[in-house]
PDB file of all heavy atoms in Angstrom:
ATOM      1  N   ALA T 289      10.014  10.663   9.831  1.00 91.00           N
ATOM      2  CA  ALA T 289       9.578  11.907  10.479  1.00 91.00           C
ATOM      3  C   ALA T 289      10.197  13.065   9.708  1.00 91.00           C
ATOM      4  O   ALA T 289      11.361  12.999   9.297  1.00 91.00           O
ATOM      5  CB  ALA T 289      10.026  11.940  11.936  1.00 91.00           C
ATOM      6  N   TYR T 290       9.404  14.116   9.513  1.00 91.00           N
ATOM      7  CA  TYR T 290       9.927  15.275   8.787  1.00 91.00           C
ATOM      8  C   TYR T 290       9.415  16.564   9.413  1.00 91.00           C
ATOM      9  O   TYR T 290       8.355  16.606  10.031  1.00 91.00           O
ATOM     10  CB  TYR T 290       9.563  15.207   7.297  1.00 91.00           C
ATOM     11  CG  TYR T 290       8.090  15.205   6.983  1.00 91.00           C
ATOM     12  CD1 TYR T 290       7.432  16.375   6.627  1.00 91.00           C
ATOM     13  CD2 TYR T 290       7.343  14.025   7.034  1.00 91.00           C
ATOM     14  CE1 TYR T 290       6.077  16.374   6.322  1.00 91.00           C
ATOM     15  CE2 TYR T 290       6.001  14.009   6.735  1.00 91.00           C
ATOM     16  CZ  TYR T 290       5.367  15.191   6.380  1.00 91.00           C
ATOM     17  OH  TYR T 290       4.015  15.198   6.086  1.00 91.00           O
ATOM     18  N   THR T 291      10.192  17.615   9.269  1.00 91.00           N
ATOM     19  CA  THR T 291       9.803  18.935   9.771  1.00 91.00           C
ATOM     20  C   THR T 291       9.955  19.949   8.653  1.00 91.00           C
ATOM     21  O   THR T 291      10.734  19.737   7.704  1.00 91.00           O
ATOM     22  CB  THR T 291      10.681  19.361  10.960  1.00 91.00           C
ATOM     23  OG1 THR T 291      12.057  19.256  10.582  1.00 91.00           O
ATOM     24  CG2 THR T 291      10.418  18.502  12.182  1.00 91.00           C
ATOM     25  N   ASP T 292       9.214  21.043   8.750  1.00 91.00           N
ATOM     26  CA  ASP T 292       9.297  22.080   7.721  1.00 91.00           C
ATOM     27  C   ASP T 292       9.842  23.376   8.321  1.00 91.00           C
ATOM     28  O   ASP T 292      10.072  23.488   9.522  1.00 91.00           O
ATOM     29  CB  ASP T 292       7.936  22.298   7.046  1.00 91.00           C
ATOM     30  CG  ASP T 292       6.871  22.769   8.025  1.00 91.00           C
ATOM     31  OD1 ASP T 292       7.202  23.452   8.997  1.00 91.00           O
ATOM     32  OD2 ASP T 292       5.687  22.444   7.797  1.00 91.00           O
ATOM     33  N   ALA T 293      10.039  24.339   7.454  1.00 89.00           N
ATOM     34  CA  ALA T 293      10.638  25.604   7.868  1.00 89.00           C
ATOM     35  C   ALA T 293       9.670  26.497   8.623  1.00 89.00           C
ATOM     36  O   ALA T 293      10.013  27.603   9.007  1.00 89.00           O
ATOM     37  CB  ALA T 293      11.175  26.340   6.636  1.00 89.00           C
ATOM     38  N   GLU T 294       8.438  26.013   8.857  1.00 88.00           N
ATOM     39  CA  GLU T 294       7.463  26.772   9.632  1.00 88.00           C
ATOM     40  C   GLU T 294       7.241  26.166  11.010  1.00 88.00           C
ATOM     41  O   GLU T 294       6.326  26.557  11.726  1.00 88.00           O
ATOM     42  CB  GLU T 294       6.121  26.826   8.874  1.00 88.00           C
ATOM     43  CG  GLU T 294       6.191  27.558   7.557  1.00 88.00           C
ATOM     44  CD  GLU T 294       6.495  29.037   7.747  1.00 88.00           C
ATOM     45  OE1 GLU T 294       6.001  29.628   8.722  1.00 88.00           O
ATOM     46  OE2 GLU T 294       7.240  29.600   6.927  1.00 88.00           O
ATOM     47  N   GLY T 295       8.061  25.169  11.380  1.00 88.00           N
ATOM     48  CA  GLY T 295       7.967  24.618  12.728  1.00 88.00           C
ATOM     49  C   GLY T 295       7.009  23.466  12.878  1.00 88.00           C
ATOM     50  O   GLY T 295       6.723  23.049  14.006  1.00 88.00           O
ATOM     51  N   ASN T 296       6.504  22.904  11.798  1.00 90.00           N
ATOM     52  CA  ASN T 296       5.540  21.818  11.882  1.00 90.00           C
ATOM     53  C   ASN T 296       6.237  20.456  11.804  1.00 90.00           C
ATOM     54  O   ASN T 296       7.287  20.316  11.177  1.00 90.00           O
ATOM     55  CB  ASN T 296       4.496  21.923  10.769  1.00 90.00           C
ATOM     56  CG  ASN T 296       3.749  23.229  10.836  1.00 90.00           C
ATOM     57  OD1 ASN T 296       3.198  23.573  11.875  1.00 90.00           O
ATOM     58  ND2 ASN T 296       3.734  23.978   9.742  1.00 90.00           N
ATOM     59  N   LEU T 297       5.601  19.471  12.418  1.00 89.00           N
ATOM     60  CA  LEU T 297       6.123  18.104  12.439  1.00 89.00           C
ATOM     61  C   LEU T 297       5.156  17.188  11.703  1.00 89.00           C
ATOM     62  O   LEU T 297       3.943  17.264  11.910  1.00 89.00           O
ATOM     63  CB  LEU T 297       6.288  17.631  13.896  1.00 89.00           C
ATOM     64  CG  LEU T 297       6.619  16.152  14.110  1.00 89.00           C
ATOM     65  CD1 LEU T 297       7.974  15.811  13.532  1.00 89.00           C
ATOM     66  CD2 LEU T 297       6.563  15.822  15.606  1.00 89.00           C
ATOM     67  N   GLY T 298       5.699  16.312  10.840  1.00 90.00           N
ATOM     68  CA  GLY T 298       4.865  15.374  10.106  1.00 90.00           C
ATOM     69  C   GLY T 298       5.457  13.971  10.164  1.00 90.00           C
ATOM     70  O   GLY T 298       6.611  13.768  10.559  1.00 90.00           O
ATOM     71  N   LEU T 299       4.638  13.009   9.740  1.00 88.00           N
ATOM     72  CA  LEU T 299       5.080  11.609   9.795  1.00 88.00           C
ATOM     73  C   LEU T 299       4.523  10.856   8.598  1.00 88.00           C
ATOM     74  O   LEU T 299       3.332  10.968   8.284  1.00 88.00           O
ATOM     75  CB  LEU T 299       4.588  10.967  11.103  1.00 88.00           C
ATOM     76  CG  LEU T 299       5.160   9.592  11.443  1.00 88.00           C
ATOM     77  CD1 LEU T 299       6.658   9.693  11.721  1.00 88.00           C
ATOM     78  CD2 LEU T 299       4.441   9.025  12.669  1.00 88.00           C
ATOM     79  N   LEU T 300       5.406  10.114   7.927  1.00 88.00           N
ATOM     80  CA  LEU T 300       4.991   9.203   6.867  1.00 88.00           C
ATOM     81  C   LEU T 300       5.066   7.782   7.425  1.00 88.00           C
ATOM     82  O   LEU T 300       6.065   7.391   8.025  1.00 88.00           O
ATOM     83  CB  LEU T 300       5.922   9.308   5.660  1.00 88.00           C
ATOM     84  CG  LEU T 300       5.920  10.604   4.862  1.00 88.00           C
ATOM     85  CD1 LEU T 300       6.892  10.484   3.703  1.00 88.00           C
ATOM     86  CD2 LEU T 300       4.536  10.920   4.355  1.00 88.00           C
ATOM     87  N   GLU T 301       4.001   7.016   7.219  1.00 85.00           N
ATOM     88  CA  GLU T 301       3.968   5.639   7.694  1.00 85.00           C
ATOM     89  C   GLU T 301       3.863   4.696   6.505  1.00 85.00           C
ATOM     90  O   GLU T 301       3.446   5.088   5.413  1.00 85.00           O
ATOM     91  CB  GLU T 301       2.792   5.441   8.652  1.00 85.00           C
ATOM     92  CG  GLU T 301       2.935   6.220   9.950  1.00 85.00           C
ATOM     93  CD  GLU T 301       1.793   5.953  10.915  1.00 85.00           C
ATOM     94  OE1 GLU T 301       0.699   5.611  10.440  1.00 85.00           O
ATOM     95  OE2 GLU T 301       2.008   6.091  12.134  1.00 85.00           O
ATOM     96  N   ASN T 302       4.202   3.438   6.749  1.00 83.00           N
ATOM     97  CA  ASN T 302       4.126   2.391   5.718  1.00 83.00           C
ATOM     98  C   ASN T 302       4.945   2.755   4.488  1.00 83.00           C
ATOM     99  O   ASN T 302       4.517   2.545   3.355  1.00 83.00           O
ATOM    100  CB  ASN T 302       2.664   2.134   5.299  1.00 83.00           C
ATOM    101  CG  ASN T 302       1.783   1.827   6.489  1.00 83.00           C
ATOM    102  OD1 ASN T 302       2.211   1.138   7.404  1.00 83.00           O
ATOM    103  ND2 ASN T 302       0.574   2.347   6.477  1.00 83.00           N
ATOM    104  N   VAL T 303       6.097   3.335   4.712  1.00 83.00           N
ATOM    105  CA  VAL T 303       6.888   3.774   3.561  1.00 83.00           C
ATOM    106  C   VAL T 303       7.406   2.567   2.804  1.00 83.00           C
ATOM    107  O   VAL T 303       7.025   2.304   1.682  1.00 83.00           O
ATOM    108  CB  VAL T 303       8.045   4.685   4.022  1.00 83.00           C
ATOM    109  CG1 VAL T 303       8.852   5.138   2.815  1.00 83.00           C
ATOM    110  CG2 VAL T 303       7.498   5.893   4.767  1.00 83.00           C
ATOM    111  N   CYS T 304       8.313   1.811   3.386  1.00 77.00           N
ATOM    112  CA  CYS T 304       8.791   0.564   2.809  1.00 77.00           C
ATOM    113  C   CYS T 304       9.599  -0.130   3.894  1.00 77.00           C
ATOM    114  O   CYS T 304      10.014   0.491   4.858  1.00 77.00           O
ATOM    115  CB  CYS T 304       9.630   0.789   1.546  1.00 77.00           C
ATOM    116  SG  CYS T 304      10.843   2.078   1.723  1.00 77.00           S
ATOM    117  N   ASP T 305       9.813  -1.385   3.738  1.00 55.00           N
ATOM    118  CA  ASP T 305      10.486  -2.148   4.786  1.00 55.00           C
ATOM    119  C   ASP T 305      11.986  -1.869   4.737  1.00 55.00           C
ATOM    120  O   ASP T 305      12.661  -2.206   3.766  1.00 55.00           O
ATOM    121  CB  ASP T 305      10.224  -3.649   4.565  1.00 55.00           C
ATOM    122  CG  ASP T 305      10.718  -4.477   5.738  1.00 55.00           C
ATOM    123  OD1 ASP T 305      11.321  -3.870   6.653  1.00 55.00           O
ATOM    124  OD2 ASP T 305      10.500  -5.685   5.722  1.00 55.00           O
ATOM    125  N   PRO T 306      12.507  -1.224   5.783  1.00 47.00           N
ATOM    126  CA  PRO T 306      13.924  -0.861   5.749  1.00 47.00           C
ATOM    127  C   PRO T 306      14.839  -1.983   6.211  1.00 47.00           C
ATOM    128  O   PRO T 306      16.045  -1.803   6.301  1.00 47.00           O
ATOM    129  CB  PRO T 306      13.977   0.303   6.735  1.00 47.00           C
ATOM    130  CG  PRO T 306      12.917  -0.030   7.748  1.00 47.00           C
ATOM    131  CD  PRO T 306      11.843  -0.772   7.006  1.00 47.00           C
ATOM    132  N   SER T 307      14.284  -3.132   6.540  1.00 48.00           N
ATOM    133  CA  SER T 307      15.116  -4.186   7.128  1.00 48.00           C
ATOM    134  C   SER T 307      16.038  -4.849   6.115  1.00 48.00           C
ATOM    135  O   SER T 307      17.045  -5.432   6.485  1.00 48.00           O
ATOM    136  CB  SER T 307      14.216  -5.256   7.768  1.00 48.00           C
ATOM    137  OG  SER T 307      13.439  -5.887   6.768  1.00 48.00           O
ATOM    138  N   GLY T 308      15.661  -4.803   4.847  1.00 44.00           N
ATOM    139  CA  GLY T 308      16.489  -5.433   3.819  1.00 44.00           C
ATOM    140  C   GLY T 308      16.449  -6.942   3.851  1.00 44.00           C
ATOM    141  O   GLY T 308      17.348  -7.616   3.360  1.00 44.00           O
ATOM    142  N   LYS T 309      15.396  -7.532   4.427  1.00 42.00           N
ATOM    143  CA  LYS T 309      15.333  -8.988   4.562  1.00 42.00           C
ATOM    144  C   LYS T 309      15.343  -9.664   3.192  1.00 42.00           C
ATOM    145  O   LYS T 309      15.984 -10.674   2.983  1.00 42.00           O
ATOM    146  CB  LYS T 309      14.065  -9.405   5.311  1.00 42.00           C
ATOM    147  CG  LYS T 309      14.142  -9.118   6.810  1.00 42.00           C
ATOM    148  CD  LYS T 309      12.857  -9.561   7.475  1.00 42.00           C
ATOM    149  CE  LYS T 309      12.853  -9.207   8.951  1.00 42.00           C
ATOM    150  NZ  LYS T 309      11.587  -9.528   9.606  1.00 42.00           N
ATOM    151  N   MET T 310      14.613  -9.068   2.253  1.00 36.00           N
ATOM    152  CA  MET T 310      14.503  -9.736   0.972  1.00 36.00           C
ATOM    153  C   MET T 310      15.846  -9.779   0.260  1.00 36.00           C
ATOM    154  O   MET T 310      16.235 -10.777  -0.319  1.00 36.00           O
ATOM    155  CB  MET T 310      13.483  -9.004   0.118  1.00 36.00           C
ATOM    156  CG  MET T 310      13.146  -9.733  -1.154  1.00 36.00           C
ATOM    157  SD  MET T 310      12.125  -8.735  -2.169  1.00 36.00           S
ATOM    158  CE  MET T 310      13.239  -8.404  -3.472  1.00 36.00           C
ATOM    159  N   SER T 311      16.545  -8.663   0.336  1.00 35.00           N
ATOM    160  CA  SER T 311      17.844  -8.628  -0.322  1.00 35.00           C
ATOM    161  C   SER T 311      18.781  -9.653   0.286  1.00 35.00           C
ATOM    162  O   SER T 311      19.515 -10.341  -0.410  1.00 35.00           O
ATOM    163  CB  SER T 311      18.458  -7.230  -0.193  1.00 35.00           C
ATOM    164  OG  SER T 311      17.620  -6.307  -0.819  1.00 35.00           O
ATOM    165  N   ASN T 312      18.749  -9.785   1.603  1.00 35.00           N
ATOM    166  CA  ASN T 312      19.639 -10.746   2.258  1.00 35.00           C
ATOM    167  C   ASN T 312      19.256 -12.177   1.878  1.00 35.00           C
ATOM    168  O   ASN T 312      20.098 -13.032   1.731  1.00 35.00           O
ATOM    169  CB  ASN T 312      19.572 -10.582   3.787  1.00 35.00           C
ATOM    170  CG  ASN T 312      20.181  -9.255   4.207  1.00 35.00           C
ATOM    171  OD1 ASN T 312      21.031  -8.744   3.503  1.00 35.00           O
ATOM    172  ND2 ASN T 312      19.747  -8.720   5.327  1.00 35.00           N
ATOM    173  N   SER T 313      17.962 -12.447   1.730  1.00 32.00           N
ATOM    174  CA  SER T 313      17.551 -13.810   1.423  1.00 32.00           C
ATOM    175  C   SER T 313      18.060 -14.228   0.052  1.00 32.00           C
ATOM    176  O   SER T 313      18.273 -15.397  -0.201  1.00 32.00           O
ATOM    177  CB  SER T 313      16.019 -13.923   1.479  1.00 32.00           C
ATOM    178  OG  SER T 313      15.449 -13.163   0.440  1.00 32.00           O
TER     179      SER T 313
END
Side-chain angles (χ1 to χ4, degrees):
Y290 61 97
T291 53
D292 62 31
E294 296 295 323
N296 301 306
L297 171 65
L299 190 66
L300 293 181
E301 294 183 333
N302 306 321
V303 180
C304 46
D305 189 356
S307 64
K309 286 180 184 176
M310 188 187 111
S311 299
N312 292 333
S313 67

